[in-house]
PDB file of all heavy atoms in Angstrom:
ATOM      1  N   ALA R 151     -99.078  29.713  33.662  1.00 66.00           N
ATOM      2  CA  ALA R 151     -99.060  28.253  33.639  1.00 66.00           C
ATOM      3  C   ALA R 151    -100.100  27.745  34.627  1.00 66.00           C
ATOM      4  O   ALA R 151    -100.276  28.240  35.711  1.00 66.00           O
ATOM      5  CB  ALA R 151     -97.731  27.693  34.058  1.00 66.00           C
ATOM      6  N   PRO R 152    -100.910  26.751  34.305  1.00 65.00           N
ATOM      7  CA  PRO R 152    -101.977  26.218  35.147  1.00 65.00           C
ATOM      8  C   PRO R 152    -101.348  25.462  36.336  1.00 65.00           C
ATOM      9  O   PRO R 152    -100.393  24.809  36.155  1.00 65.00           O
ATOM     10  CB  PRO R 152    -102.791  25.298  34.246  1.00 65.00           C
ATOM     11  CG  PRO R 152    -101.858  24.807  33.209  1.00 65.00           C
ATOM     12  CD  PRO R 152    -100.901  26.026  32.932  1.00 65.00           C
ATOM     13  N   ILE R 153    -102.003  25.645  37.502  1.00 62.00           N
ATOM     14  CA  ILE R 153    -101.525  24.899  38.710  1.00 62.00           C
ATOM     15  C   ILE R 153    -102.551  23.790  38.928  1.00 62.00           C
ATOM     16  O   ILE R 153    -103.746  23.994  39.048  1.00 62.00           O
ATOM     17  CB  ILE R 153    -101.588  25.914  39.957  1.00 62.00           C
ATOM     18  CG1 ILE R 153    -100.536  27.018  39.670  1.00 62.00           C
ATOM     19  CG2 ILE R 153    -101.191  25.096  41.194  1.00 62.00           C
ATOM     20  CD1 ILE R 153    -100.476  28.034  40.824  1.00 62.00           C
ATOM     21  N   ARG R 154    -101.970  22.630  39.031  1.00 59.00           N
ATOM     22  CA  ARG R 154    -102.824  21.391  39.212  1.00 59.00           C
ATOM     23  C   ARG R 154    -102.646  20.984  40.700  1.00 59.00           C
ATOM     24  O   ARG R 154    -101.605  20.484  41.096  1.00 59.00           O
ATOM     25  CB  ARG R 154    -102.380  20.288  38.313  1.00 59.00           C
ATOM     26  CG  ARG R 154    -102.392  20.659  36.869  1.00 59.00           C
ATOM     27  CD  ARG R 154    -101.962  19.478  36.000  1.00 59.00           C
ATOM     28  NE  ARG R 154    -101.955  19.866  34.533  1.00 59.00           N
ATOM     29  CZ  ARG R 154    -100.879  20.388  33.924  1.00 59.00           C
ATOM     30  NH1 ARG R 154     -99.744  20.487  34.627  1.00 59.00           N
ATOM     31  NH2 ARG R 154    -100.886  20.621  32.630  1.00 59.00           N
ATOM     32  N   PRO R 155    -103.722  21.224  41.480  1.00 62.00           N
ATOM     33  CA  PRO R 155    -103.532  20.929  42.970  1.00 62.00           C
ATOM     34  C   PRO R 155    -103.476  19.428  43.204  1.00 62.00           C
ATOM     35  O   PRO R 155    -103.000  19.042  44.272  1.00 62.00           O
ATOM     36  CB  PRO R 155    -104.717  21.573  43.568  1.00 62.00           C
ATOM     37  CG  PRO R 155    -105.807  21.649  42.437  1.00 62.00           C
ATOM     38  CD  PRO R 155    -104.948  21.798  41.181  1.00 62.00           C
ATOM     39  N   LYS R 156    -104.159  18.616  42.376  1.00 59.00           N
ATOM     40  CA  LYS R 156    -104.200  17.184  42.620  1.00 59.00           C
ATOM     41  C   LYS R 156    -102.926  16.419  42.290  1.00 59.00           C
ATOM     42  O   LYS R 156    -102.758  15.318  42.779  1.00 59.00           O
ATOM     43  CB  LYS R 156    -105.362  16.538  41.847  1.00 59.00           C
ATOM     44  CG  LYS R 156    -106.716  17.071  42.302  1.00 59.00           C
ATOM     45  CD  LYS R 156    -107.800  16.397  41.591  1.00 59.00           C
ATOM     46  CE  LYS R 156    -109.175  16.887  42.039  1.00 59.00           C
ATOM     47  NZ  LYS R 156    -110.300  16.198  41.300  1.00 59.00           N
ATOM     48  N   THR R 157    -102.078  17.030  41.505  1.00 56.00           N
ATOM     49  CA  THR R 157    -100.783  16.368  41.068  1.00 56.00           C
ATOM     50  C   THR R 157     -99.654  17.050  41.746  1.00 56.00           C
ATOM     51  O   THR R 157     -99.731  18.157  42.342  1.00 56.00           O
ATOM     52  CB  THR R 157    -100.628  16.360  39.555  1.00 56.00           C
ATOM     53  OG1 THR R 157    -100.692  17.765  39.151  1.00 56.00           O
ATOM     54  CG2 THR R 157    -101.802  15.634  38.933  1.00 56.00           C
ATOM     55  N   LYS R 158     -98.429  16.520  41.558  1.00 60.00           N
ATOM     56  CA  LYS R 158     -97.239  17.097  42.096  1.00 60.00           C
ATOM     57  C   LYS R 158     -96.946  18.421  41.347  1.00 60.00           C
ATOM     58  O   LYS R 158     -97.066  18.479  40.184  1.00 60.00           O
ATOM     59  CB  LYS R 158     -96.093  16.135  42.009  1.00 60.00           C
ATOM     60  CG  LYS R 158     -96.228  14.944  42.950  1.00 60.00           C
ATOM     61  CD  LYS R 158     -95.059  14.070  42.892  1.00 60.00           C
ATOM     62  CE  LYS R 158     -95.165  12.848  43.836  1.00 60.00           C
ATOM     63  NZ  LYS R 158     -93.945  12.018  43.715  1.00 60.00           N
ATOM     64  N   ARG R 159     -96.460  19.377  42.048  1.00 56.00           N
ATOM     65  CA  ARG R 159     -96.110  20.699  41.439  1.00 56.00           C
ATOM     66  C   ARG R 159     -94.839  20.551  40.660  1.00 56.00           C
ATOM     67  O   ARG R 159     -93.775  20.013  41.039  1.00 56.00           O
ATOM     68  CB  ARG R 159     -95.932  21.747  42.569  1.00 56.00           C
ATOM     69  CG  ARG R 159     -95.648  23.092  41.936  1.00 56.00           C
ATOM     70  CD  ARG R 159     -95.622  24.150  43.069  1.00 56.00           C
ATOM     71  NE  ARG R 159     -94.527  23.809  44.053  1.00 56.00           N
ATOM     72  CZ  ARG R 159     -93.263  24.164  43.827  1.00 56.00           C
ATOM     73  NH1 ARG R 159     -92.894  24.825  42.704  1.00 56.00           N
ATOM     74  NH2 ARG R 159     -92.251  23.829  44.677  1.00 56.00           N
ATOM     75  N   ALA R 160     -94.901  20.996  39.399  1.00 59.00           N
ATOM     76  CA  ALA R 160     -93.688  20.946  38.555  1.00 59.00           C
ATOM     77  C   ALA R 160     -92.685  22.001  38.908  1.00 59.00           C
ATOM     78  O   ALA R 160     -93.001  22.922  39.744  1.00 59.00           O
ATOM     79  CB  ALA R 160     -94.188  21.144  37.016  1.00 59.00           C
ATOM     80  N   LYS R 161     -91.543  21.846  38.361  1.00 65.00           N
ATOM     81  CA  LYS R 161     -90.469  22.802  38.777  1.00 65.00           C
ATOM     82  C   LYS R 161     -90.635  24.192  38.217  1.00 65.00           C
ATOM     83  O   LYS R 161     -90.361  25.198  38.888  1.00 65.00           O
ATOM     84  CB  LYS R 161     -89.087  22.296  38.268  1.00 65.00           C
ATOM     85  CG  LYS R 161     -88.664  20.938  38.908  1.00 65.00           C
ATOM     86  CD  LYS R 161     -87.300  20.469  38.397  1.00 65.00           C
ATOM     87  CE  LYS R 161     -86.887  19.214  39.051  1.00 65.00           C
ATOM     88  NZ  LYS R 161     -85.555  18.835  38.462  1.00 65.00           N
ATOM     89  N   ASN R 162     -91.269  24.345  37.090  1.00 64.00           N
ATOM     90  CA  ASN R 162     -91.470  25.635  36.489  1.00 64.00           C
ATOM     91  C   ASN R 162     -92.797  26.332  36.896  1.00 64.00           C
ATOM     92  O   ASN R 162     -93.084  27.400  36.384  1.00 64.00           O
ATOM     93  CB  ASN R 162     -91.362  25.515  34.981  1.00 64.00           C
ATOM     94  CG  ASN R 162     -92.469  24.559  34.451  1.00 64.00           C
ATOM     95  OD1 ASN R 162     -93.110  23.915  35.266  1.00 64.00           O
ATOM     96  ND2 ASN R 162     -92.702  24.530  33.124  1.00 64.00           N
ATOM     97  N   GLN R 163     -93.480  25.777  37.769  1.00 65.00           N
ATOM     98  CA  GLN R 163     -94.766  26.368  38.176  1.00 65.00           C
ATOM     99  C   GLN R 163     -94.577  27.084  39.537  1.00 65.00           C
ATOM    100  O   GLN R 163     -93.809  26.625  40.381  1.00 65.00           O
ATOM    101  CB  GLN R 163     -95.846  25.271  38.299  1.00 65.00           C
ATOM    102  CG  GLN R 163     -96.283  24.724  37.022  1.00 65.00           C
ATOM    103  CD  GLN R 163     -97.467  23.846  37.112  1.00 65.00           C
ATOM    104  OE1 GLN R 163     -97.942  23.570  38.207  1.00 65.00           O
ATOM    105  NE2 GLN R 163     -97.939  23.309  36.021  1.00 65.00           N
ATOM    106  N   PRO R 164     -95.252  28.225  39.667  1.00 67.00           N
ATOM    107  CA  PRO R 164     -95.109  28.970  40.906  1.00 67.00           C
ATOM    108  C   PRO R 164     -95.701  28.287  42.140  1.00 67.00           C
ATOM    109  O   PRO R 164     -96.670  27.466  42.050  1.00 67.00           O
ATOM    110  CB  PRO R 164     -95.770  30.260  40.661  1.00 67.00           C
ATOM    111  CG  PRO R 164     -96.908  29.865  39.632  1.00 67.00           C
ATOM    112  CD  PRO R 164     -96.160  28.826  38.782  1.00 67.00           C
ATOM    113  N   LYS R 165     -95.170  28.585  43.335  1.00 69.00           N
ATOM    114  CA  LYS R 165     -95.759  27.979  44.568  1.00 69.00           C
ATOM    115  C   LYS R 165     -97.099  28.704  44.948  1.00 69.00           C
ATOM    116  O   LYS R 165     -97.193  29.902  44.714  1.00 69.00           O
ATOM    117  CB  LYS R 165     -94.719  28.154  45.717  1.00 69.00           C
ATOM    118  CG  LYS R 165     -93.466  27.300  45.568  1.00 69.00           C
ATOM    119  CD  LYS R 165     -92.567  27.534  46.752  1.00 69.00           C
ATOM    120  CE  LYS R 165     -91.337  26.717  46.607  1.00 69.00           C
ATOM    121  NZ  LYS R 165     -90.422  26.846  47.762  1.00 69.00           N
TER     122      LYS R 165
END
Side-chain angles (χ1 to χ4, degrees):
I153 298 176
R154 305 181 181 90
K156 294 184 180 180
T157 58
K158 292 184 178 179
R159 183 176 60 83
K161 293 181 180 179
N162 58 350
Q163 291 187 356
K165 293 182 179 180

